Amino acid sequence: MPKIKDIQVILTAPEGINLIIVKVITDQDGLYGLGCATFAYRELAVKCVIESYLKPLVLGRDVHKIEDIWHLMYNNAYWRNDAITNNAISGIDMALWDIKGKIAGLPVYDLMGGKSREGVLFYRHVNGTSIDEIIHKIETLKNQKIHHVRIQWGLYGGITKEINQPINSEPGTYIDTTSYISDTLKMFDSIRKYFGDDIELIHDIHERLAPIDAIHMAKQLEKYRLFFLEDPFSPEQLEWMRQLRSQSAIPIGIGELFNHPKDWETLIKERLIDFIRIHMSQIGGLTPARKLAAFAEQFGIRTAWHGPGDVSPVGHAANVHLSLNSHNFGILEWIGFSSVMYEVFPGMPYEKDGYLYLSSKPGLGIDINEELANKYPIQTTVTKWTQTRLPDGTLINP
Ligand code: MG
């Protein structure tokens, strides 16, 4: 049986976002796997956990024992389920699935039970500073046969407006939640009037509202027939889901900030949400993600794995494999990548006429051009976009 011979961490930022790729090398000539450990804003900490703690733990182990190695890594530090460790575990976990597929000569979705569908439905993100701009961008996507869009007027929290801030206000992104809510309702009214029912719409509150304001907004949005409303509450305020559910039938997607199985257990068991939107590397990779998908299936809840630019192409490939396999797949977030990403990551998933497809290679089907990846160094800086404030300067969730 092939054994783990070496583990390398590759940091690269072809589109300006720090990506963390893990390469697990075996003692068999040319046999290696890739995994995504991308926590874009704590990249050096993840690298350190892999190189200093996980690598010495798993060197020499049988690559086939994914389940055992996953639990070994999960329990090794005694304290568990933090974002940095889970991402580090994910990098090795996905790489082991990639290796298993290469040995078997099968794509990972076949290892998990095979395809439930031939292409993976996805949605694209649209924002704009005017309704006309948003309409124009949706029309461009519709011409590419993309039927699901997430629409935001401005950035998360609304369009930038003159805000009356107190003297000596701290720097940050200031948002006026009252005008954000009324602008968003106006946007949905205009978009539905323009396109009718011929488009599926998603919107992300991004946990920026007081819980009762999010419920009020959800009730008013219900008539616009959303595909789902994303993150009405922060992970710290999930008990409000029961109040929202009792008052509105708007579909809910939630989960990109979850780390711990207890974060989603109650939401799924009580059928308080409709789409589980986990960031796969954030919970420890494919091994826990496929268990979560199977758990959600029992309760009629669909998957919508988190797929922004701070998931690496290797992570996106894992998203697509599991989405092809899961019976209860709903939709996938797909940001669309530049040609340079396809050069750095040969074999990454690609879109055609509204669906995502994989390369025909075994395993995860994706590789990395390390020489090219090295030409796009990461930058370690203080994260600025997470400093969101109310008009009076109060810091809120980003
Ligand atoms: Mg989101």
Side-chain angles (χ1 to χ4, degrees), residues 150 204 206 230-231 256 277:
R150 182 174 64 191
D204 191 356
H206 221 273
E230 182 174 340
D231 286 348
E256 69 189 56
R277 277 184 53 66

Side-chain angles (χ1 to χ4, degrees), residues 311-381:
V311 168
S312 78
V314 177
H316 280 280
N319 280 349
V320 175
H321 277 273
L322 186 52
S323 299
L324 274 175
N325 165 250
S326 298
H327 176 69
N328 57 323
F329 164 74
I331 198 161
L332 198 54
E333 180 180 11
W334 174 253
I335 193 147
F337 290 99
S338 64
S339 57
V340 68
M341 285 293 248
Y342 284 85
E343 288 165 23
V344 177
F345 293 96
M348 66 180 275
Y350 61 96
E351 62 177 83
K352 186 167 171 41
D353 294 341
Y355 291 99
L356 290 170
Y357 299 93
L358 293 163
S359 79
S360 55
K361 301 244 171 63
L364 290 173
I366 185 168
D367 208 343
I368 184 166
N369 180 334
E370 290 183 56
E371 202 181 328
L372 198 52
N374 286 336
K375 290 187 179 158
Y376 301 98
I378 61 147
Q379 285 198 318
T380 298
T381 56

Side-chain angles (χ1 to χ4, degrees), residues 143-343:
N143 288 336
Q144 298 164 34
K145 298 191 179 174
I146 293 166
H147 193 63
H148 295 70
V149 290
R150 182 174 64 191
I151 53 171
Q152 312 283 144
W153 192 354
L155 300 170
Y156 300 118
I159 40 180
T160 310
K161 285 185 175 162
E162 189 100 9
I163 283 177
N164 179 26
Q165 297 170 213
I167 300 161
N168 295 328
S169 290
E170 296 287 346
T173 305
Y174 280 72
I175 62 167
D176 177 340
T177 56
T178 307
S179 69
Y180 157 64
I181 293 170
S182 60
D183 286 347
T184 301
L185 292 167
K186 273 184 228 156
M187 170 183 71
F188 270 92
D189 204 54
S190 306
I191 299 297
R192 268 289 171 240
K193 276 189 181 133
Y194 189 89
F195 290 100
D197 268 342
D198 190 27
I199 188 83
E200 297 292 338
L201 301 172
I202 295 165
H203 179 74
D204 191 356
I205 291 181
H206 221 273
E207 52 168 342
R208 289 191 177 183
L209 295 178
I212 194 66
D213 291 340
I215 293 173
H216 190 227
M217 183 177 172
K219 288 169 70 174
Q220 294 177 89
L221 281 173
E222 195 178 322
K223 62 175 178 279
Y224 299 113
R225 197 187 59 76
L226 271 65
F227 191 76
F228 65 75
L229 178 64
E230 182 174 340
D231 286 348
F233 310 121
S234 68
E236 296 86 347
Q237 298 296 341
L238 290 173
E239 283 75 11
W240 287 85
M241 271 309 307
R242 291 188 188 90
Q243 278 93 323
L244 193 160
R245 211 61 166 169
S246 67
Q247 297 183 51
S248 171
I250 193 167
I252 298 293
I254 213 162
E256 69 189 56
L257 283 151
F258 293 173
N259 299 320
H260 193 293
K262 293 291 174 195
D263 292 338
W264 59 77
E265 184 185 288
T266 301
L267 293 177
I268 291 175
K269 277 197 321 198
E270 294 190 19
R271 297 174 173 89
L272 295 173
I273 59 171
D274 302 277
F275 294 88
I276 184 75
R277 277 184 53 66
I278 298 279
H279 189 107
M280 201 184 285
S281 65
Q282 184 78 10
I283 63 166
L286 260 172
T287 293
R290 70 189 189 90
K291 294 174 186 177
L292 164 57
F295 173 56
E297 182 185 341
Q298 283 187 276
F299 297 90
I301 289 159
R302 288 168 280 173
T303 65
W305 304 105
H306 193 225
D310 47 20
V311 168
S312 78
V314 177
H316 280 280
N319 280 349
V320 175
H321 277 273
L322 186 52
S323 299
L324 274 175
N325 165 250
S326 298
H327 176 69
N328 57 323
F329 164 74
I331 198 161
L332 198 54
E333 180 180 11
W334 174 253
I335 193 147
F337 290 99
S338 64
S339 57
V340 68
M341 285 293 248
Y342 284 85
E343 288 165 23

